Amino acid sequence: MKRIRSALGDAGLPARRPVHTLLAAATTGLLVAALAGCSGPGAGDSGGESGGDGAAQSEVMSPDAARSDAVADAVGAVGLGDAAEEAVDRELVTTGSATLAVDDPFDAAEEIARLVEEAGGRVESRDEQAPTDDEPGRASMTLRIPADRVSATLDALDQLGDMRDRHVETVDVTGTAQDLDARIEALRTSTDRLRELMADADRTADLIDIEAELSTRQAELDARVAERSRLSDEVAMSTLHVEIVAEGSPAAQARPGGFLGGLTAGWSALVSTFNVVVLVLGAIIPWLALASVVFLVVVGVRRQLLARNRLTGPPPAVEPEPVEP
């Protein structure tokens, strides 16, 4: 028995040791794998932070940045970026008006003309009225000024006197300009094609028809080109109307608002209407006097004729002689 136990013991120990060793190795491997799995995301993050490639950086990009890129892509897809660039090329027509109260309207008009010429513009029209016993002098000017110098010119005018009012209006004519450009391009293409057809025409009838159509298209092209030139001039050179009045004149007085302003405007309208009526009557009275004289002469002649007819009387009636039976 001892020998058997000893043999079993000696033989059993070596038999059990490999099993325990395998179990320990498997357990250690599972623990290492679990630890590696837990530390995996942190390692991935640290790798991304430590300078991964562009794809890894785009994956860890913040949601706001990704949303901004998506919006930018959408804007580019619908062409809003191009529209923003085209907005710089808008064509605008600027017009304005102002009333300037000064001591001497004539001197102010000379100074305004000088300022406009220095700004690169021109005086398109100028009207001056000398002072009278009833009204002081005044002047009015129509100025053409470069579009980018309108505000500066108005500020310079304000330095010459007291600006009572100023009004500036801007109209977008980009659509009209684009339409004219398209029509001009189409007409030019059409006229060029007609000239080619006219050069290749063999029959006289075809040549006459083509020449007539070419004349019509050329006239329309010239009209469109002239219209486009006027529009370009209005865009490049703004129009400004300036009324120059003397200080203390009714036109230089500030216009009150509210009920008092309405009452003043109504009274001014009534006085203006009365003046117009008086002017019309003054123009009609001489004609009425002439018509009255003619009427009196006609009536007098008629009465004289009637009186003469009464004096002469009708001729006596001749009675027929009686016939004897």
Side-chain angles (χ1 to χ4, degrees), residues 40-41 53-55 100 107 120 146 160 168 174 197 221 246 271 282 296 298 321-322:
D53 57 1
L100 187 66
D107 292 343
L160 297 178
V168 178
T174 305
L197 293 175
L221 175 60
V271 172
L296 293 175
V298 172
E321 297 181 356

Side-chain angles (χ1 to χ4, degrees), residues 202-236:
D202 297 332
R203 298 187 305 173
T204 305
D206 295 339
L207 183 62
I208 293 174
D209 293 339
I210 294 173
E211 187 176 359
E213 184 65 22
L214 179 60
S215 300
T216 303
R217 298 291 178 86
Q218 186 65 43
E220 186 177 358
L221 175 60
D222 294 340
R224 297 295 181 182
V225 170
E227 185 178 357
R228 185 64 175 91
S229 299
R230 288 194 299 270
L231 186 62
S232 299
D233 181 68
E234 292 178 357
V235 171

Side-chain angles (χ1 to χ4, degrees), residues 113 115-123 143-146 237:
L115 291 174
V116 170
E117 291 178 358
E118 290 180 355
R122 64 181 185 272
V123 178
L143 313 175
R144 300 299 304 276
I145 307 168
M237 303 291 288

Side-chain angles (χ1 to χ4, degrees), residues 138-216:
R138 59 184 304 163
S140 61
M141 306 176 70
T142 300
L143 313 175
R144 300 299 304 276
I145 307 168
D148 56 348
R149 300 298 303 273
V150 174
S151 298
T153 302
L154 288 174
D155 294 339
L157 294 181
D158 196 11
Q159 302 297 323
L160 297 178
D162 186 8
M163 186 169 292
R164 299 300 185 182
D165 58 71
R166 59 189 291 178
H167 174 73
V168 178
E169 181 180 5
T170 301
V171 179
D172 190 347
V173 295
T174 305
T176 304
Q178 292 176 350
D179 181 67
L180 285 173
D181 291 338
R183 289 175 181 269
I184 290 172
E185 184 64 25
L187 287 170
R188 282 176 176 167
T189 303
S190 178
T191 53
D192 292 341
R193 179 57 180 165
L194 287 173
R195 288 190 179 94
E196 294 176 359
L197 293 175
M198 187 170 60
D200 297 337
D202 297 332
R203 298 187 305 173
T204 305
D206 295 339
L207 183 62
I208 293 174
D209 293 339
I210 294 173
E211 187 176 359
E213 184 65 22
L214 179 60
S215 300
T216 303

